[in-house]
Amino acid sequence: MASIKTRQRVRNGVLLLFFLLFPVVLNYLSPFLSVLGASRGIISGSLLFFALLFVSSLLLGRAYCGWACPGGAAQEMSKLVNDRRVRGRRLDWIKYLIWVPWFAATLFLLIRAGGTLEVQPLYNMDSFVSVSSAPMYIVYFIVLAAIIVPAIAVGRRTMCHSFCWMAPFMILGRKLRNLIRWPALRLRAETDRCTGCGTCTRNCPMSLEVQEMVEKSRMENSECVLCGQCVDNCPQGVIRYSFSRGV
């Protein structure tokens, strides 16, 4: 149990670190810079990062969301104000409505510009630190409000579910790895040991019906961020991490 508690302390510490680094990395998460760079035939730092998210998801799923995302960290801190589970998640489709035209526009602009002409990780940036001027502080606080306000108004990780422009990269990578069935990080459950206490469901920051997933012996869910809360809070040790094949 001590090691379990340690793992979640480590996760919380890592999330806090990346939240504090949010002003540094903000531009690397920017969909706007991706489009702006593509219009000039430039692959920006943000587009490189999105590609890295896709590649990482082939092995780690959405672990970035649960362990290292500054926006995810801000939303988990928002639970101090509103820890309501987001049930139904009828607006999850909105993130695809955002992602599809944005990504299509980025590809179109790159092609129209003559393909990949140049790679500039610091494109349109004065330095590697994103928030380095007064106008950028305004942008930073607007972005932060757009992440925190939905979590406070609606509930746990609302931004992750409905509005995140990065999530589809990892969801698509996760679906690809499941289709090919190569070894990757995932959750496994020993269904016969489950007592139905519901602790896993109550602790899930993504408001997933984890107990139902355990009962059906199907732990794969595109909204799971592999944070390990269900693993570490189950009193019977039913759920565990696994690096294995298949769904």
Side-chain angles (χ1 to χ4, degrees):
M1 185 62 72
S3 62
I4 289 175
K5 291 181 178 179
T6 298
R7 178 161 50 199
Q8 287 303 316
R9 283 200 297 268
V10 169
R11 186 180 78 90
N12 290 334
V14 172
L15 282 174
L16 177 59
L17 173 62
F18 278 97
F19 175 74
L20 294 175
L21 289 174
F22 202 3
V24 176
V25 304
L26 179 64
N27 282 340
Y28 303 99
L29 312 179
S30 170
F32 172 74
L33 286 183
S34 297
V35 174
L36 185 62
S39 68
R40 301 179 181 179
I42 296 172
I43 293 183
S44 63
S46 59
L47 197 55
L48 288 172
F49 181 72
F50 299 144
L52 179 61
L53 285 182
F54 174 78
V55 173
S56 70
S57 68
L58 298 176
L59 292 177
L60 302 176
R62 288 182 66 180
Y64 166 78
C65 304
W67 286 79
C69 178
Q75 291 175 89
E76 293 216 6
M77 287 188 285
S78 299
K79 291 197 301 181
L80 295 172
V81 180
N82 182 3
D83 193 25
R84 183 188 304 125
R85 296 183 66 241
V86 180
R87 301 177 186 275
R89 304 190 306 279
R90 297 176 182 175
L91 301 180
D92 285 6
W93 58 271
I94 293 178
K95 60 177 174 285
Y96 300 104
L97 185 64
I98 295 170
W99 184 83
V100 170
W102 158 61
F103 190 61
T106 301
L107 290 180
F108 171 76
L109 290 171
L110 272 177
I111 294 171
R112 193 180 69 170
T116 303
L117 303 180
E118 190 175 355
V119 176
Q120 291 187 23
L122 299 181
Y123 172 70
N124 208 39
M125 296 169 58
D126 296 328
S127 69
F128 72 91
V129 177
S130 300
V131 181
S132 57
S133 63
M136 281 306 300
Y137 274 101
I138 296 174
V139 173
Y140 169 69
F141 285 117
I142 290 175
V143 171
L144 196 58
I147 294 171
I148 291 177
V149 170
I152 292 177
V154 180
R156 298 180 185 178
R157 286 194 175 233
T158 301
M159 175 74 176
C160 293
H161 282 298
S162 302
F163 309 113
C164 181
W165 57 90
M166 297 183 289
F169 286 108
M170 291 171 281
I171 292 173
L172 289 175
R174 189 169 181 163
K175 289 184 180 298
L176 177 60
R177 70 109 194 258
N178 288 338
L179 179 65
I180 299 175
R181 296 175 65 87
W182 61 44
L185 184 67
R186 60 184 81 247
L187 299 178
R188 296 292 191 191
E190 298 179 49
T191 305
D192 57 341
R193 296 178 58 186
C194 179
T195 61
C197 67
T199 302
C200 52
T201 296
R202 288 193 298 272
N203 281 280
C204 179
M206 292 296 285
S207 305
L208 302 182
E209 296 295 335
V210 185
Q211 182 179 318
E212 182 178 326
M213 292 162 61
V214 171
E215 292 170 351
K216 293 181 178 179
S217 296
R218 186 174 178 84
M219 299 304 295
E220 179 63 24
N221 189 301
S222 62
E223 295 298 308
C224 175
V225 296
L226 294 170
C227 64
Q229 285 279 26
C230 59
V231 178
D232 296 336
N233 285 286
C234 177
Q236 304 300 322
V238 172
I239 309 170
R240 60 182 172 84
Y241 280 119
S242 172
F243 199 85
S244 56
R245 297 176 183 271
V247 179

